[in-house]
Amino acid sequence: MAAAAPTRYSLIPVFWLAAFFAGGIGASHLVEISLALAAGLSVALSILAFFLRRSTIATAFIFLAFAAAGAVTGIAEKQGVRPDRIKVLFDRGEIISGQPVEVEGVLISWPEPSAEGSLLTIQTDRLRYRGMDRDVTGKVRIFLPISINGVETPALKYGSRIIVTCILEREDEFLNPGVLRRTELLDQMGIDAGGS
């Protein structure tokens, strides 16, 4: 009697699941598909994989379910960016980087001490640019010096509502090889623009 061939298992199954998930995210940026369709596809493929779990085809359904779940994530991320978001206004050229603006909003954290000042993270709700007021969303991170023209800046705390005139920037001025672009760094932090 011949011995049965040993079952071959992948030593890195999480790698393949992550690869299909990432592929789904990438595909969501290339192909237009609705969030409901992608979510339904992910659930349907998962159910199929469960009922066919004794079959080798179940593995393919699991990988495809992860790809559909990645597409759900990518679509949700795209739909989560509102058109009045500050970073969208920068990207569309409605606000020019390096130009003075007046930002109104609420401090969403305590001021962070920094050399010769502090860093403020503001959840914005209004912005004045070139004499026009507009409702906006998004977060900005602003450096506030200890004093301006010899006048000490007021003590601020978490939850303070402030209006500040500043210069906001979203682009890179200089970029060394291998360094993250400023826009990528800001996006990772959930910040739309920085300034002083």
Side-chain angles (χ1 to χ4, degrees):
M1 178 180 227
T7 305
R8 298 182 67 188
Y9 294 102
S10 172
L11 298 177
I12 48 172
V14 175
F15 168 80
W16 293 109
L17 295 175
F20 274 83
F21 188 83
I25 293 172
S28 73
H29 293 285
L30 301 174
V31 178
E32 284 298 319
I33 184 172
S34 74
L35 182 64
L37 180 62
L41 193 59
S42 180
V43 170
L45 288 166
S46 298
I47 291 170
L48 272 172
F50 177 76
F51 284 115
L52 299 173
R53 63 185 174 269
R54 302 215 186 274
S55 171
T56 56
I57 193 88
T59 304
F61 285 137
I62 290 171
F63 287 146
L64 292 174
F66 266 79
V72 168
T73 304
I75 294 165
E77 188 265 336
K78 280 195 302 190
Q79 291 178 352
V81 179
R82 296 173 39 170
D84 64 350
R85 182 108 179 244
I86 290 177
K87 75 177 186 174
V88 173
L89 299 175
F90 270 102
D91 293 344
R92 288 194 312 229
E94 294 180 31
I95 301 174
I96 307 298
S97 190
Q99 296 288 314
V101 298
E102 188 176 275
V103 176
E104 182 177 345
V106 176
L107 286 179
I108 57 172
S109 64
W110 288 94
E112 298 174 37
S114 177
E116 298 185 29
S118 56
L119 292 168
L120 309 176
T121 304
I122 303 168
Q123 180 68 52
T124 60
D125 48 39
R126 293 199 53 77
L127 184 133
R128 176 183 283 263
Y129 178 65
R130 294 186 175 172
M132 289 178 39
D133 284 341
R134 67 187 328 161
D135 293 331
V136 295
T137 58
K139 298 176 193 167
V140 295
R141 191 170 170 92
I142 297 173
F143 173 76
L144 180 68
I146 293 173
S147 65
I148 301 171
N149 297 329
V151 178
E152 193 171 313
T153 56
L156 299 170
K157 59 183 180 181
Y158 171 81
S160 295
R161 183 166 237 348
I162 64 171
I163 299 173
V164 61
T165 301
C166 59
I167 293 177
L168 289 181
E169 296 176 334
R170 185 161 164 80
E171 288 121 20
D172 301 304
E173 288 183 18
F174 305 102
L175 192 63
N176 292 328
V179 176
L180 271 180
R181 292 179 47 230
R182 180 181 184 151
T183 52
E184 290 176 22
L185 187 60
L186 290 172
D187 287 344
Q188 287 178 7
M189 295 169 57
I191 304 291
D192 293 316
S196 58

